[in-house]
């Protein structure tokens, strides 16, 4: 191994160590004391409930672990958006699981909580997966009610999704394992079956204090909406259980008997590990973001047997396209080539930049994958589309639009992995969040923004200096440098993959060695939903 490889390896391993530490802290939710308080009430925590529910020795793919990271600090924060979401297996059936974390503000809903819950429902709807709700929530976080209550993508949208999923035949199972109040009461009761845990579970539109204030009635919460009330008098819930474990066991028995739906039919054979050593991925990403590297080498460290059948290898070289398998699943890969390449005409093209020929190739490849029913995997390390008079005269906008059109209209499932830069329109063309990838994850080396930190900071500095001069203010070179540093630091914070993950622009940040698991579980989920015939729409040629 050379010195450069060792330097790269040290940096990425440090980033992964930071990732692991951040994961551990985030998974504590509201902290050790709050976890202890849950146990004293005879309740499991959200993560303990999920661990008990899913099949032993099976993976759980968490979605949105870092949602809310660094947000709402003025009210103590909201780790993981106060809810745990992911893909897991219950009695061999893949499903979506949503569990309120009562250690975080009693499981109250913040704006990011609503966004994360809607993301969970979106995954269930796109992939026709059963969904399990483990309910333990105090309802809307009232100081922010205006940011969560009335809009289209707010709290109420989840109940609309309940109804839509019911009409789609998607199984929804709910367990009320703690508080379930006000509008939130509709979520479990709009599910197909609702269980409740005795003495700890409760469900009502208004609690005892509000009832007293509204109509003057004196009543305690257990009589008002406890397990006995709703299983024996109102009929709102279907069965009650003495503790969390018994309730979760009942859910397992439900899943043991669910029938199977039609599959999409994506091709899978026996899985094979890459021949190339996966751990070498740590040393292959340059510490200097402008240094070139060969994306094909990265791909061969991820795919089965390191076999990659490249499509149009001699044309449009700044995008790599080809067929491979990941954990046995057939995939079509579209990735940005980061090394400087030479065209047949002898011209040099910058790595990570999309040129007209690359966009044309990618569009054709995407259409082929749709024709053959092969899921698409996009690997992003992209600076954007080529600019300048030569590119404009060559029709870069037309060819870029062709690629975006084919990608946006793709009906085979798309999965996106951001391993480096994800800048500007390159993010869009390579299936960024706006283009409905079934899953989108980032390595710790990812950066997501309109442009690089250096370019953005210089642009913003010029605007700021120009504004000050228009106001008759002059600034010294030292002041200008200080201003540049402040702008750069702020912008670089926003480039971080954790900044993107906190806002659910990506579903999570992962160690590179988790890449195969993420893509495999994603395709397995997508295989539950039959796909429509591909119709690319209007494409100029």
């Amino acid at each position: 191994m050379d010195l450069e490889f060792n330097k790269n390896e040290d940096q990425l391993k440090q980033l992964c160590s930071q990732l692991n530490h951040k994961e551990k802290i985030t998974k504590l939710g509201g902290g050790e004391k709050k976890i202890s308080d849950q146990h004293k009430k005879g309740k499991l925590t959200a993560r303990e409930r999920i661990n008990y529910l899913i099949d032993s020795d099976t993976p759980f793919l968490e979605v949105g672990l870092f949602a809310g990271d660094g947000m709402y600090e003025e009210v103590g924060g909201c780790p993981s958006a106060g809810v745990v979401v992911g893909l897991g297996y219950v009695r061999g059936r893949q499903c979506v699981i949503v569990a309120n974390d009562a250690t975080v503000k009693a499981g109250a809903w913040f704006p990011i909580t609503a966004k994360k819950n809607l993301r969970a429902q979106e995954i269930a709807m796109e992939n026709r997966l059963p969904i399990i709700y483990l309910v333990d929530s105090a309802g809307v976080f009232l100081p922010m009610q205006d940011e969560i209550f009335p809009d289209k993508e707010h709290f109420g949208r989840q109940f609309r999704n309940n109804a839509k999923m019911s009409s789609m035949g998607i199984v929804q199972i709910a367990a009320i394992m703690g508080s379930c109040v006000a509008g939130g009461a509709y979520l479990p009761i709009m599910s197909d079956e609702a269980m409740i845990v005795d003495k700890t579970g409760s469900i009502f539109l208004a609690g005892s204090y509000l009832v007293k204030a509204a109509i003057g009635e004196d009543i305690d919460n257990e009589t008002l909406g406890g397990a006995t009330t709703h299983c024996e008098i109102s009929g709102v819930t279907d069965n009650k259980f003495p503790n969390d474990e018994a309730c979760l066991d009942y859910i397992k028995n439900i899943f043991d008997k669910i029938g199977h739906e039609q599959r999409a039919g994506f091709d899978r054979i026996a899985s094979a590990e890459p021949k190339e050593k996966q751990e070498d991925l740590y040393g292959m990403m340059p510490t200097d973001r402008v240094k070139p590297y060969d994306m094909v080498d990265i791909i061969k460290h991820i795919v089965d047997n390191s076999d990659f059948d490249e499509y149009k290898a001699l044309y449009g070289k700044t995008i790599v396209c080809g067929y491979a398998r990941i954990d046995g699943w057939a995939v079509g890969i579209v990735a940005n080539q980061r090394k400087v390449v030479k065209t047949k005409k002898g011209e040099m093209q910058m790595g990570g930049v999309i040129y007209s020929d690359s966009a044309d190739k990618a569009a054709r490849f995407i259409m082929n994958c749709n024709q053959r029913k092969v899921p698409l995997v996009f690997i992003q390390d992209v600076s954007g589309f080529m600019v300048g008079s030569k590119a404009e005269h060559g029709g870069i906008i037309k060819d870029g639009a062709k690629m975006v059109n084919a990608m946006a209209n793709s009906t085979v499932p798309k999965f996106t992995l951001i391993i480096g830069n994800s800048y500007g329109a390159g993010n869009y063309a390579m299936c960024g969040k706006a283009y409905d990838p079934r899953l989108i994850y980032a390595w710790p080396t990812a950066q997501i923004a309109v442009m690089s930190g250096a370019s953005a900071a210089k642009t913003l500095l010029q605007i700021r200096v120009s504004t000050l001069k228009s106001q008759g203010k002059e600034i010294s070179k030292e002041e200008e440098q200080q201003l540049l540093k402040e702008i750069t630091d702020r912008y670089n914070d926003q480039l971080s993959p954790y900044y993107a993950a906190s806002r659910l622009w990506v579903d999570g940040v992962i160690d590179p060695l988790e890449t195969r698991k993420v893509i495999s579980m994603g395709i397995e989920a997508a295989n539950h939903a039959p796909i429509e015939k591909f119709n690319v729409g209007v494409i100029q040629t």
Side-chain angles (χ1 to χ4, degrees):
M1 297 297 176
D2 61 19
L3 186 62
E4 186 70 25
F5 182 95
N6 291 336
K7 183 180 175 183
N8 296 340
E9 183 180 44
D10 286 345
Q11 185 199 47
L12 186 44
K13 282 188 173 180
Q14 284 181 21
L15 290 174
C16 289
S17 177
Q18 293 167 12
L19 168 63
N20 291 334
H21 177 72
K22 197 174 182 70
E23 284 179 345
K24 288 177 182 176
I25 297 297
T26 304
K27 286 178 179 179
L28 288 174
E32 297 283 5
K33 184 180 183 304
K34 294 288 187 181
I35 292 172
S36 177
D37 290 343
Q38 281 280 98
H39 293 162
K40 287 174 183 176
K41 295 174 184 175
K43 298 164 66 175
L44 300 176
T45 65
R47 294 185 181 279
E48 288 168 345
R49 287 166 179 164
I50 291 173
N51 288 339
Y52 186 90
L53 178 64
I54 62 176
D55 300 341
S56 59
D57 300 321
T58 60
F60 178 71
L61 178 57
E62 188 153 356
V63 173
L65 172 62
F66 297 118
D69 180 59
M71 300 168 69
Y72 316 118
E73 296 294 343
E74 68 280 3
V75 293
C78 185
S80 211
V83 62
V84 184
V85 167
L87 289 170
Y89 300 87
V90 177
R91 293 292 172 91
R93 297 296 300 264
Q94 194 178 35
C95 59
V96 177
I97 303 172
V98 181
N100 299 114
D101 186 351
T103 71
V104 179
K105 295 288 189 297
W109 285 60
F110 286 71
I112 193 65
T113 315
K115 187 173 184 178
K116 184 170 174 179
N117 275 266
L118 293 175
R119 176 65 179 137
Q121 291 181 319
E122 179 183 47
I123 291 171
M125 293 167 81
E126 285 181 330
N127 299 294
R128 300 293 181 98
L129 288 178
I131 185 167
I132 299 168
Y133 307 102
L134 305 180
V135 183
D136 193 348
S137 172
V140 167
F141 186 66
L142 287 177
M144 294 182 176
Q145 64 85 26
D146 62 318
E147 299 178 49
I148 187 174
F149 170 62
D151 209 348
K152 181 178 179 180
E153 302 300 330
H154 283 179
F155 187 76
R157 184 77 171 183
Q158 67 175 332
F159 312 131
R160 174 264 189 194
N161 287 349
N162 282 142
K164 288 289 184 181
M165 281 192 278
S166 180
S167 71
M168 293 167 69
I170 296 172
V171 173
Q172 300 177 79
I173 304 296
I176 300 152
M177 314 184 86
S179 297
C180 183
V181 301
Y186 289 106
L187 183 142
I189 308 311
M190 292 185 73
S191 298
D192 302 304
E193 193 163 346
M195 284 69 71
I196 188 168
V197 178
D198 197 18
K199 307 305 180 194
T200 55
S202 59
I203 180 168
F204 34 65
L205 295 181
S208 56
Y209 292 121
L210 186 54
V211 167
K212 174 68 173 175
I215 64 173
E217 181 183 2
D218 283 308
I219 190 169
D220 63 88
N221 282 337
E222 183 64 26
T223 306
L224 180 66
T228 298
T229 295
H230 285 312
C231 285
E232 299 181 21
I233 300 172
S234 72
V236 166
T237 51
D238 300 307
N239 286 293
K240 69 175 179 179
F241 300 90
N243 52 46
D244 285 4
E245 291 88 347
C247 185
L248 296 169
D249 285 337
Y250 186 81
I251 295 175
K252 294 179 186 182
N253 290 336
I254 291 174
F255 271 71
D256 193 42
K257 300 170 182 66
I258 295 175
H260 294 273
E261 301 289 341
Q262 181 183 351
R263 294 290 194 262
F266 303 127
D267 188 65
R268 190 182 199 186
I269 61 173
S271 177
E273 291 294 313
K275 289 180 181 176
E276 302 289 349
K277 189 179 177 183
Q278 288 187 70
E279 287 76 8
D280 286 349
L281 287 169
Y282 292 127
M284 298 173 69
M285 290 291 294
T287 55
D288 185 345
R289 305 188 77 83
V290 300
K291 280 193 174 180
Y293 64 90
D294 191 345
M295 181 61 82
V296 174
D297 287 342
I298 297 283
I299 292 170
K300 287 186 175 181
H301 283 73
I302 295 172
V303 300
D304 291 13
N305 288 318
S306 301
D307 288 335
F308 180 60
D309 300 325
E310 197 166 347
Y311 170 79
K312 285 183 176 284
L314 303 178
Y315 176 74
K317 296 180 182 179
T318 65
I319 287 183
V320 174
C321 299
Y323 301 99
R325 289 186 183 274
I326 295 178
D327 196 24
W329 293 104
V331 296
I333 296 174
V334 180
N336 303 110
Q337 177 58 281
R338 285 297 309 192
K339 69 179 183 180
V340 177
V341 299
K342 190 175 183 180
T343 68
K344 198 170 184 179
K345 296 178 181 178
E347 299 168 331
M348 303 306 292
Q349 293 184 339
M350 294 184 293
V353 178
I354 302 175
Y355 290 77
S356 284
D357 53 355
S358 304
D360 175 68
K361 177 173 84 171
R364 292 173 184 273
F365 180 73
I366 290 166
M367 288 188 280
N368 284 351
C369 286
N370 275 269
Q371 183 73 15
R372 301 172 192 180
K373 213 152 70 167
V374 177
L376 284 158
V377 176
F378 292 82
I379 304 177
Q380 290 195 15
D381 190 351
V382 59
S383 302
F385 284 88
M386 191 57 191
V387 296
S389 60
K390 186 173 181 181
E392 298 292 359
H393 296 170
I396 184 67
I397 295 174
K398 178 188 68 176
D399 290 319
K402 186 190 303 182
M403 178 179 174
V404 171
N405 196 328
M407 181 273 299
N409 281 292
S410 174
T411 56
V412 295
K414 306 182 292 268
F415 302 88
T416 302
L417 180 69
I418 303 173
I419 69 172
N421 302 333
S422 180
Y423 297 154
N427 170 280
Y428 297 161
M430 292 294 294
C431 195
K433 183 63 183 291
Y435 292 85
D436 296 325
R438 296 292 177 97
L439 293 174
I440 176 170
Y441 280 81
W443 285 4
T445 45
Q447 289 190 349
I448 304 165
V450 170
M451 61 181 75
S452 71
S455 299
K458 289 174 184 176
T459 302
L460 292 167
L461 176 66
Q462 291 172 2
I463 294 170
R464 185 78 64 86
V465 170
S466 177
T467 301
L468 290 170
K469 286 182 178 179
S470 70
Q471 296 170 351
K473 300 175 184 177
E474 294 291 331
I475 63 171
S476 66
K477 284 290 181 186
E478 292 78 13
E479 289 172 328
E480 191 171 308
Q481 286 302 310
Q482 179 60 31
L483 191 56
L484 177 61
K485 183 181 183 305
E486 291 173 4
I487 293 171
T488 302
D489 289 346
R490 185 170 65 251
Y491 195 87
N492 283 341
D493 285 342
Q494 296 176 0
L495 284 171
S496 162
Y498 298 108
Y499 188 90
S502 72
R503 288 150 182 80
L504 288 172
W505 301 344
V506 296
D507 290 318
V509 183
I510 58 168
D511 185 306
L513 300 187
E514 294 287 292
T515 301
R516 283 169 55 85
K517 181 187 89 170
V518 167
I519 294 172
S520 176
M521 287 185 69
I523 298 175
E524 183 182 355
N527 199 40
H528 288 81
I531 59 174
E532 300 172 2
K533 185 178 179 182
F534 178 61
N535 184 356
V536 77
V538 178
I539 286 188
Q540 288 183 311
T541 58

